[in-house]
Amino acid sequence: MKRDQGCLLGPLSAQHSYAGARAVFVQLGIPRRIAQLDLSLAVVTEMSGKLETAARHYETLAVDDRLSRRDRAKARLWVGTALSKNGRHDYATRVMRAAIRDFEDLTEPDDWSVAHQKVALARRGAGDLDQALHFIDVARGSGNTDSPMERVRLDTAHGHILLSDTATRDDGLRVLDQATSTAARYGLVHQLRSIEGVRAMSEGPAGPLRR
C-alpha cells in the first residue's frame, strides 16, 4: 500500500522496509513470515530490474515448505512474470498456466483471475494478440474489481493489449484514460507511472501491430 501511494521512494526504500520486518520475524522465530518476506524481497529484486535473479528466487520459493500452497503458487506465477519481462514469453506462459492450475485446485478465484491477466500480457509480448485478448477477457469477466487498485491493474493490462493493435488503439487509450483517472483519484502513484510507461511504449519503435 505504501509503495502504491508513493510513500516508498523506489525499490531501495521498499527493500529497507521489508528487510526490517524480516529481521523482526527472525527474532520471533516465525519461519512462515520469514519466507513471506523473502517472497516480498524477491518482488523488490524484480522491480529493480534484476529479472533473472528474481526468477531464480521465485523458483526456490515456489517449492519452499515454509510457505502455504497459495504462496508457493504465487511464487510460481511470479517466475513467469519475471521471465516475461525479460522477453521469454513462451516459457513464461507455460509456467504461469501451471500456476493457474494450482489456483484452480486451491479454489482461489481472485488469484486465478490475476494469473490470466499476467498470461494475457505474456501473450501480448509474444505478439499473439488473439490469445492475449482471450486471456484478458477471462480476467475481466472473473476478476475482483472491488478495490481501486485491482480496477487500475486490470484496466492497465487491458489497455496495454488494446494499444498493441492499430485496430483497437483508440479503445486502448480510452481504457488507459479511465485507469489514469482512478489511479489519480486514489493516489496510486506507482500505477500512474506504470500507465505512463505503457503509453510511452505504444508510441515507440515497437508500437501497435497492424492486423
Side-chain angles (χ1 to χ4, degrees):
M1 179 186 68
K2 287 182 178 180
R3 179 199 69 191
D4 290 310
Q5 290 179 341
C7 299
L8 295 180
L9 303 179
L12 289 178
S13 180
Q15 184 178 33
H16 177 75
S17 295
Y18 283 136
R22 188 184 188 281
V24 171
F25 289 122
V26 168
Q27 290 179 345
L28 293 173
I30 306 176
R32 181 173 65 89
R33 292 295 190 187
I34 296 169
Q36 287 176 328
L37 266 299
D38 287 338
L39 188 55
S40 295
L41 285 165
V43 173
V44 173
T45 300
E46 180 183 339
M47 289 175 62
S48 301
K50 301 172 184 175
L51 301 175
E52 288 291 341
T53 301
R56 288 196 296 272
H57 288 173
Y58 290 142
E59 285 175 339
T60 300
L61 291 164
V63 293
D64 192 324
D65 289 337
R66 293 175 301 168
L67 292 171
S68 67
R69 286 185 63 200
R70 182 188 180 194
D71 281 337
R72 292 200 299 271
K74 284 183 176 181
R76 186 167 293 110
L77 174 65
W78 294 341
V79 170
T81 62
L83 293 175
S84 182
K85 288 179 182 178
N86 211 23
R88 299 169 63 186
H89 304 297
D90 291 331
Y91 181 45
T93 298
R94 292 196 295 274
V95 173
M96 290 191 283
R97 293 191 78 162
I100 286 174
R101 292 191 291 273
D102 290 339
F103 291 133
E104 188 167 338
D105 290 342
L106 291 167
T107 319
E108 292 288 352
D110 291 341
D111 293 325
W112 184 87
S113 176
V114 168
H116 278 80
Q117 175 184 321
K118 302 296 186 184
V119 173
L121 290 173
R123 298 322 301 154
R124 187 214 69 82
D128 187 354
L129 298 184
D130 288 337
Q131 280 293 293
L133 287 169
H134 165 72
F135 281 106
I136 200 65
D137 283 345
V138 172
R140 293 175 64 219
S142 59
N144 177 10
T145 56
D146 291 341
S147 73
M149 172 63 67
E150 294 308 323
R151 288 201 301 274
V152 170
R153 284 176 174 164
L154 192 55
D155 283 346
T156 302
H158 186 206
H160 196 176
I161 292 165
L162 293 174
L163 278 180
S164 300
D165 188 338
T166 54
T168 55
R169 178 175 173 79
D170 289 344
D171 291 334
L173 290 172
R174 281 193 291 271
V175 172
L176 285 186
D177 285 344
Q178 177 178 309
T180 298
S181 177
T182 303
R185 187 182 315 134
Y186 291 96
L188 304 178
V189 177
H190 179 73
Q191 295 303 315
L192 283 169
R193 292 185 186 127
S194 295
I195 295 166
E196 288 308 310
V198 169
R199 290 183 190 275
M201 187 183 303
S202 74
E203 295 168 359
L209 301 174
R210 292 186 181 275
R211 291 279 184 174

